[in-house]
């Protein structure tokens, strides 16, 4: 299965993984949680306990106006999520390019005055 892996502080990488639960858990480093924050048929798979475990902040999820509403912690990946299906699939080449661009810039996060500020981070 072709995925786009996004690690904290790094640009996205295309990877091939087995579609097994174990392979997905290995990528995120623990229990998986699937989110569907995009209109595309794409799943965002992250560590279900990333924040509780204190994994490093990775990227912000933004609403349609670009305002951050959540922070993903730890490594996550994107994969295809075919409609009316209960399994994940490979990303298309078009999806890879779209989401590589969306998540290209690593981010860092500051808490100031009760708000979280999202800033671009330097590439490793």
């Amino acid at each position: 299965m072709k995925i786009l892996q996004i690690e904290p502080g790094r640009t996205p990488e295309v990877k091939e993984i087995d579609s097994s639960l174990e392979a997905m858990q290995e990528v995120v480093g623990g229990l998986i949680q699937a989110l569907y924050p995009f209109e595309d048929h794409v799943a965002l798979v992250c560590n279900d306990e990333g924040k509780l475990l204190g994994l490093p902040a990775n990227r912000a999820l933004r609403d349609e106006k670009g305002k951050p509403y959540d922070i993903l912690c730890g490594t996550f990946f994107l994969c295809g999520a075919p409609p009316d299906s209960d399994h994940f699939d490979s990303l298309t080449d078009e999806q890879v390019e779209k989401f590589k661009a969306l998540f290209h810039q690593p981010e860092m996060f500051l808490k100031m005055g009760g708000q979280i500020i999202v800033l671009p981070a330097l590439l490793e």
Side-chain angles (χ1 to χ4, degrees):
M1 173 169 74
K2 183 180 0 179
I3 66 167
L4 191 62
Q5 179 176 309
I6 298 105
E7 296 180 60
R10 302 189 63 156
T11 57
E13 288 185 64
V14 176
K15 301 265 179 138
E16 286 283 338
I17 66 165
D18 182 313
S19 61
S20 69
L21 175 61
E22 294 79 16
M24 290 185 260
Q25 288 176 327
E26 186 175 325
V27 173
V28 302
L31 301 175
I32 65 168
Q33 175 185 24
L35 307 172
Y36 302 90
F38 313 112
E39 288 185 19
D40 301 66
H41 297 293
V42 170
L44 185 156
V45 181
C46 60
N47 187 313
D48 188 40
E49 300 176 316
K51 290 178 186 168
L52 293 172
L53 295 172
L55 297 180
N58 189 340
R59 301 292 201 283
L61 288 178
R62 294 175 165 76
D63 64 18
E64 60 279 347
K65 295 180 182 177
K67 182 178 179 183
Y69 66 86
D70 199 3
I71 297 171
L72 297 163
C73 294
T75 298
F76 66 92
F77 69 90
L78 303 174
C79 61
D84 303 322
S85 177
D86 61 350
H87 70 280
F88 298 132
D89 202 356
S90 288
L91 291 171
T92 65
D93 292 339
E94 294 79 18
Q95 290 169 331
V96 166
E97 292 310 311
K98 176 181 180 175
F99 290 102
K100 261 183 159 179
L102 182 65
F103 290 108
H104 177 75
Q105 181 65 53
E107 296 173 323
M108 60 184 194
F109 306 89
L110 301 171
K111 188 171 183 178
M112 296 176 67
Q115 291 188 317
I116 295 179
I117 309 297
V118 181
L119 299 169
L122 297 175
L123 292 170
E124 287 184 0

